[in-house]
Amino acid sequence: MERFRQRYGIALTKKKLQEIILMLMAWEAVFAFSYLGYIELPAISTTTLHILVIVAAMMLGAQGSVPVVCVFVITSMWIGTYSLSQLDRVFSPFASGMPLGSIMLVFARVLFAAGAGWLFDLYFRKPRRYVYLGIAGIAAASTLLHGLCVFAALYCSFPMLRQMILENLFSYPIFRDWLSYVLAIIACCGIHWVLTRKSVKNRLSQLCDCPPAMQESGNRKQLIYSETVAVVVGILCILFLRKAIFKELYLQGIDVSENLHQNITAFLLQTLVALLALFSVFSVLIQWIYEYYTSQRIRMNKKLMEQRMKSSVDVLTGVFSRLAYHECLEQYADSVPTDLTVFLMDINGLKGVNDALGHEAGDELICGAAQCITQAVGDRGKIFRIGGDEFVVLGQMTQTQAQEILAALQRIAAAWSGTKVGTLSISSGCAFADDHPDFSIEQLTKAADLSMYAQKQEYYRAKKLSSGTPVSSGNGVRP
């Protein structure tokens, strides 16, 4: 998997690698049983089909090509058991009469798969300039390697076939089936071209980054259940078809020998396996489509959530924004908790600071007020900035706790000092839902606003008396 990531920039997960190998194995099963003639592919030999899948699997290295070849071997043994061809029967240890020789053929094919995968990995250990020429050469060499391994195993394991092999060597597909070479080259180069496309890389990367929790969701279980049901239904259909065939032969007066009986049963079973293999391929594809679009939806929802979070946080102070405040009010539209407390807080003299020292000093004052309020409230309520210098706090608490917050706020604000502004004064007021059981959240907020305004008026009155000169409130007259 690491070599594949370095080669194509796609970090295949173990699960995705297994699914890809499963699809290749399924295709190999389908192509293997095309030998029987019910899958018609004109001008393409079964050897070509096998090699086509194997050279595609070697893109994953030996871990991809060897399992595919194991399916190739198993299907060859199966077909050879029921085939009348002498060469085909050689591949079955049950019918050849020489099980050791048949096992040598198995070993030769697995060796070929490992060798083909090793050649591909060896080629890509360093960056290459003429990539497609190299891949074409590896595909052709792997096709030739397959024939050499098989015929070497035949020559060593079956002495009675040596003379026939030597006499007909150049008539075998290893030398005359050029279509296998061409299609193998096209398959390898085509797959490499697809995997190097940026759009394909992005989509495969997103598919591989699919959250594990989503991969193991109920839809995956439903897919497994559907596969199980399909297998059961397929077996029942094959049994019914088998019974119908023999019944029709009996009605036609055709004597069914034991050999014909076995061949028909084997043909139907092979058909069932091929159909189940196709079903497995489509199941994996459907699962990938589902995972891809689900991961896209999750990413989109995550982006929307991030954007919403950004819009719900005040950029300057870091507390909740006016938008978040109105969304929070909707929670109390139907009923207001009896222990809800609403605070209104406002900076004293902000306009004078802006006029005298500039808006940067005013922003420092606003940020300082937000810090003081946050420190005083703690985790007992939510803080919102709903205006230039106006803050709202909503929290469920007792009146004693609310008074403690107000006292702490005045103490913390009095100790605050900035770089541009030396002092900070905050007017605050609160209203308790327990004191106004019939009030809506808007009426409760208005009551807290009136309480805060009364404290602000007291602040400016005291400042006016201490200075002996008229002082503007900075925010105008509140309604």
Side-chain angles (χ1 to χ4, degrees):
M1 290 187 290
E2 181 62 23
R3 185 65 56 80
F4 191 85
R5 185 192 65 78
Q6 294 174 358
R7 190 184 307 149
Y8 297 111
I10 302 169
L12 283 178
T13 61
K14 186 176 181 180
K15 184 174 182 294
K16 284 291 173 286
L17 180 64
Q18 292 173 348
E19 290 172 349
I20 292 173
I21 293 174
L22 175 64
M23 288 183 64
L24 291 171
M25 292 168 66
W27 277 119
E28 172 55 34
V30 174
F31 288 158
F33 293 130
S34 69
Y35 177 89
L36 300 177
Y38 59 83
I39 299 178
E40 295 294 342
L41 296 172
I44 300 179
S45 69
T46 54
T47 303
T48 301
L49 298 176
H50 297 317
I51 300 301
L52 195 62
V53 178
I54 294 167
V55 296
M58 78 182 186
M59 290 285 187
L60 302 172
Q63 60 185 341
S65 54
V66 169
V68 173
V69 167
C70 289
V71 176
F72 187 10
V73 168
I74 292 171
T75 52
S76 296
M77 289 181 179
W78 189 350
I79 293 171
T81 303
Y82 297 98
S83 174
L84 297 178
S85 170
Q86 181 181 0
L87 186 60
D88 292 328
R89 294 174 70 85
V90 165
F91 288 97
S92 175
F94 310 105
S96 65
M98 299 185 66
L100 185 61
S102 299
I103 293 174
M104 287 298 294
L105 282 171
V106 172
F107 175 76
R109 282 179 161 173
V110 173
L111 183 64
F112 144 70
W118 178 77
L119 281 175
F120 198 80
D121 278 345
L122 180 65
Y123 179 75
F124 276 104
R125 285 184 180 178
K126 293 181 180 180
R128 303 291 179 178
R129 186 175 180 181
Y130 302 104
V131 177
Y132 288 102
L133 290 178
I135 292 176
I138 294 172
S142 299
T143 308
L144 179 64
L145 180 63
H146 172 262
L148 290 176
C149 288
V150 170
F151 286 110
L154 284 172
Y155 186 83
C156 296
S157 304
F158 297 89
M160 75 290 296
L161 298 177
R162 289 178 182 177
Q163 187 65 29
M164 183 183 68
I165 291 173
L166 293 176
E167 291 177 355
N168 301 282
L169 182 61
F170 292 99
S171 64
Y172 287 118
I174 182 177
F175 293 113
R176 63 179 175 81
D177 194 358
W178 296 106
L179 187 59
S180 295
Y181 291 87
V182 173
L183 288 181
I185 291 171
I186 293 174
C188 278
C189 293
I191 293 172
H192 179 80
W193 183 85
V194 170
L195 291 176
T196 53
R197 299 301 93 191
K198 187 176 181 180
S199 59
V200 175
K201 285 184 180 180
N202 292 337
R203 285 177 170 79
L204 287 178
S205 298
Q206 292 175 5
L207 187 62
C208 292
D209 292 339
C210 179
M214 185 191 72
Q215 294 178 0
E216 302 299 331
S217 63
N219 290 281
R220 175 59 184 163
K221 292 181 180 179
Q222 291 179 3
L223 192 61
I224 294 174
Y225 294 152
S226 64
E227 290 175 350
T228 304
V229 171
V231 171
V232 174
V233 172
I235 293 174
L236 294 176
C237 290
I238 291 298
L239 291 175
F240 174 79
L241 183 60
R242 176 177 175 274
K243 183 178 180 180
I245 290 174
F246 288 130
K247 183 179 180 180
E248 183 64 25
L249 291 174
Y250 175 78
L251 293 175
Q252 295 293 332
I254 299 174
D255 184 26
V256 180
S257 64
E258 183 178 355
N259 188 33
L260 180 59
H261 190 281
Q262 291 178 355
N263 288 339
I264 291 176
T265 303
F267 175 81
L268 293 175
L269 288 175
Q270 290 161 357
T271 305
L272 175 63
V273 172
L275 292 175
L276 290 178
L278 280 176
F279 182 78
S280 298
V281 172
F282 290 127
S283 297
V284 173
L285 289 176
I286 291 171
Q287 178 186 331
W288 285 357
I289 293 172
Y290 164 76
E291 289 180 357
Y292 175 76
Y293 283 104
T294 304
S295 64
Q296 289 290 91
R297 187 173 66 252
I298 290 174
R299 287 184 176 86
M300 184 62 67
N301 291 339
K302 186 177 180 180
K303 288 182 180 179
L304 292 175
M305 185 63 68
E306 290 175 353
Q307 292 176 358
R308 185 164 184 168
M309 288 296 295
K310 289 179 181 178
S311 63
S312 64
V313 175
D314 183 64
V315 178
L316 179 63
T317 61
V319 299
F320 289 107
S321 65
R322 185 181 183 89
L323 176 63
Y325 169 68
H326 287 294
E327 290 179 351
C328 188
L329 289 185
E330 294 177 359
Q331 301 177 11
Y332 305 110
D334 297 330
S335 63
V336 178
T338 55
D339 59 346
L340 181 67
T341 302
V342 179
F343 297 87
L344 259 292
M345 301 168 184
D346 194 279
I347 301 174
N348 295 321
L350 177 64
K351 185 177 185 301
V353 171
N354 282 331
D355 293 342
L357 302 177
H359 287 283
E360 289 185 2
D363 290 344
E364 182 186 55
L365 207 60
I366 293 172
C367 291
Q371 294 170 5
C372 294
I373 296 170
T374 302
Q375 189 176 349
V377 174
D379 58 355
R380 289 175 290 186
K382 288 185 176 181
I383 305 166
F384 305 88
R385 182 189 175 203
I386 62 171
D389 62 341
E390 193 169 12
F391 296 85
V392 174
V393 178
L394 300 176
Q396 292 180 240
M397 64 189 75
T398 63
Q399 294 191 17
T400 302
Q401 291 174 324
Q403 295 301 330
E404 291 175 354
I405 289 175
L406 292 176
L409 176 62
Q410 296 305 319
R411 184 175 65 254
I412 295 169
W416 181 88
S417 178
T419 58
K420 298 181 182 297
V421 184
T423 60
L424 170 64
S425 175
I426 300 175
S427 294
S428 57
C430 63
F432 306 99
D434 193 28
D435 293 340
H436 308 283
D438 298 331
F439 275 23
S440 64
I441 186 65
E442 290 81 7
Q443 292 172 319
L444 203 61
T445 303
K446 188 173 183 180
D449 186 61
L450 292 174
S451 174
M452 182 270 293
Y453 180 66
Q455 188 182 99
K456 181 178 282 290
Q457 291 293 90
E458 184 63 28
Y459 166 80
Y460 284 114
R461 189 179 298 111
K463 190 168 184 178
K464 179 180 179 181
L465 292 174
S466 64
S467 63
T469 57
V471 178
S472 171
S473 65
N475 290 326
V477 179
R478 300 178 66 86

